[in-house]
Amino acid sequence: MKDLTSAVEHRQEHRFARSRDPRSAAKILVYHPEPEDYVVGIRRALPDAEVVFGSDPDFLRQHIGDTEIILAPRFPVEALQDAQRLKWIQSTNSGVDFLVPVRERLKNTLVTNARGVHGEVMADYVLGTVTMLHWDFPDLLRQQAAQQWKPKFVDPLSGKTIGIVGLGAIGAEIARRAKSAGMTVLGMRRGSARLGEPVDQYYTREEFDEFLSRSDFVVLVVPATTETYKLVGAKELSAMKRSGYLINISRGSVVDELALIRAIGDGQIAGAALDVFEVEPLPPTNPLWTMPNVIVTSHIAGNPTEYPRRILEIFFENARRYLAGEDLINVVNLARGY
C-alpha cells in the first residue's frame, strides 16, 4: 500500500498536510466496542498501515497524539486536544453530532460518515411500524396472548398520508416505499426539491403545523443539531391529528419526550413508534415502556446485517481517494452538523 500521508492536497475546503516523514506508515486508530471485524479487514486491505484498536478512553488518549485516521462510531472529544497529526475521521454512524461542539478543533480534519448504509433497512423499519401502528399490532398481540378472537376492520394504507421530516437519502427511500404502498407523501427538508422524488407536496419549516395536521404518520429523519433540538414539542403534537402517529428514527433530542408522553397519555395523538430516546438505554422507569399504543425499540432501526463490511466498503473507497488526492465521499459539513 502506498503511504497514506503521500496524498496530495484535497480539492475541497480541507487539505491534508504532510506533518511527518512521508515514508512512515499511517497510524489508523479503531475506537469501537467491537473492533475485531474492522481491524481484520483494514489490516488485510492496508497491510502497511499501523492499526491500533480499543474502546477505553485511556487507550484513546495514549494513541491519539500520532494517529492520522480514526474509525469510530463516537469517542470522547476531549482527547482531540492531544491530536497532533489527525487528518481524517471516518464515522461508522450517519450522525456525527458529538463532533459539532468541537468543530473549531477540526478545521484541518476531514470528517466522513456512513451515509448510504442505513437507508434501505430504516425504510423497512418505518413501513413495518406504520403497518403495525395502523393495525394496532400491539393490541393484536395482547389478544393473541389472551387467546381472544375479535373481528377488526381497517382502512387500507393507500388512503393514508405520511409526512417525512428530513428528505435526505433515508427520507427519500422511505418516501419511495410509502408511495409504492399508495400513500400520499408529504415532505419537509432544507433546500429545494430534488428531481424524481416521490413526494406529493413539500412544506417549509414555517408551514410545519399544516404539515403535521395533514399527516396520519409523521416520520422524523433529521440529524441532531441546534435547529432540530426538540423540534417536536407540545405545540407541534397539538397540531397533529388525534388519530396520528409519530415515528422517530432520528435522535431522541429531536422530540420533547415528556410532552410526547403527555400527548399520548391524554389521547392527543394515537401513539408512536420510537427507536431513539433522550436517554439511552431507555430507563426501566420510563412510561414509554408500558404505554399500550407505543412501540419501543433499542436504537436498532439503522442496523443492517454485515454492518462492518458495509462500513469498510466506504472506508476503503475513501482510503483510495485519500491516497489519490481525490474528493472523498460522505463528507460531513460540521457547520451544519451533517
Side-chain angles (χ1 to χ4, degrees):
M1 183 194 74
K2 290 173 61 180
D3 176 24
L4 291 181
T5 56
S6 66
V8 299
E9 291 183 338
H10 194 273
R11 294 198 301 270
Q12 294 181 326
E13 59 183 343
H14 299 278
R15 298 188 182 278
F16 302 114
R18 294 182 180 180
S19 58
R20 54 184 171 80
D21 184 349
R23 294 170 297 178
S24 61
K27 183 172 182 177
I28 302 173
L29 189 156
V30 179
Y31 189 81
H32 198 283
E34 297 179 349
E36 290 79 10
D37 288 340
Y38 296 102
V39 172
V40 169
I42 293 171
R43 284 177 171 167
R44 182 181 299 122
L46 307 174
D48 294 336
E50 177 188 358
V51 183
V52 296
F53 61 95
S55 58
D56 183 85
D58 289 337
F59 159 85
L60 180 66
R61 286 190 291 270
Q62 177 185 352
H63 288 279
I64 198 169
D66 61 347
T67 287
E68 184 171 336
I69 300 167
I70 293 178
L71 185 144
R74 61 188 303 124
F75 55 85
V77 294
E78 297 80 11
L80 288 171
Q81 63 187 358
D82 298 321
Q84 302 299 315
R85 299 174 179 173
L86 187 62
K87 304 295 189 304
W88 168 28
I89 298 171
Q90 171 68 62
S91 173
T92 60
N93 295 335
S94 286
V96 294
D97 40 290
F98 74 103
L99 292 175
V100 173
V102 293
R103 60 186 175 223
E104 290 302 311
R105 292 182 183 173
L106 297 170
K107 284 184 176 179
N108 297 314
T109 302
L110 196 63
V111 177
T112 57
N113 68 5
R115 187 168 59 247
V117 167
H118 312 89
E120 290 189 353
V121 71
M122 293 185 86
D124 292 343
Y125 178 95
V126 169
L127 267 292
T129 53
V130 162
T131 301
M132 292 178 70
L133 292 169
H134 183 57
W135 278 84
D136 195 1
F137 260 83
D139 188 56
L140 293 177
L141 292 172
R142 288 190 290 269
Q143 290 178 33
Q144 178 182 348
Q147 298 182 346
Q148 296 175 338
W149 189 276
K150 296 182 178 180
K152 187 177 184 68
F153 299 90
V154 179
D155 292 333
L157 277 177
S158 59
K160 299 299 180 179
T161 297
I162 187 169
I164 304 169
V165 186
L167 284 167
I170 297 169
E173 182 62 28
I174 294 168
R176 282 189 285 273
R177 302 289 185 87
K179 181 54 67 175
S180 71
M183 301 180 76
T184 299
V185 179
L186 311 181
M188 195 173 85
R189 67 128 57 88
R190 286 183 59 170
S192 57
R194 292 177 184 156
L195 187 64
E197 278 184 339
V199 176
D200 295 290
Q201 187 170 347
Y202 292 90
Y203 286 80
T204 65
R205 180 67 179 271
E206 291 70 32
E207 300 169 314
F208 198 21
D209 283 358
E210 181 184 348
F211 170 93
L212 294 169
S213 69
R214 285 195 58 196
S215 301
D216 296 298
F217 301 91
V218 175
V219 184
L220 304 177
V221 204
V222 293
T225 67
T226 54
E227 293 181 346
T228 63
Y229 179 72
K230 294 194 175 179
L231 174 69
V232 175
K235 175 180 175 294
E236 290 74 25
L237 291 163
S238 67
M240 289 179 60
K241 296 180 178 182
R242 293 183 72 86
S243 58
Y245 295 94
L246 181 72
I247 301 174
N248 188 10
I249 57 169
S250 53
R251 286 291 186 269
S253 61
V254 174
V255 175
D256 184 333
E257 203 166 276
L258 183 58
L260 176 62
I261 291 169
R262 288 172 177 164
I264 295 171
D266 293 345
Q268 199 168 41
I269 67 172
L274 307 169
D275 188 54
V276 289
F277 305 89
E278 290 183 348
V279 176
E280 295 182 3
L282 187 65
T285 55
N286 193 299
L288 291 169
W289 279 115
T290 55
M291 298 186 89
N293 46 351
V294 174
I295 297 171
V296 169
T297 55
S298 52
H299 205 144
I300 59 170
N303 290 353
T305 56
E306 298 187 309
Y307 196 88
R309 177 186 64 77
R310 298 170 191 268
I311 296 300
L312 287 176
E313 286 178 357
I314 296 172
F315 180 73
F316 293 146
E317 172 60 18
N318 270 339
R320 182 193 67 77
R321 291 168 177 251
Y322 183 86
L323 284 167
E326 299 174 359
D327 294 343
L328 272 62
I329 60 174
N330 290 7
V331 176
V332 174
N333 183 335
L334 289 181
R336 294 186 309 193
Y338 56 93

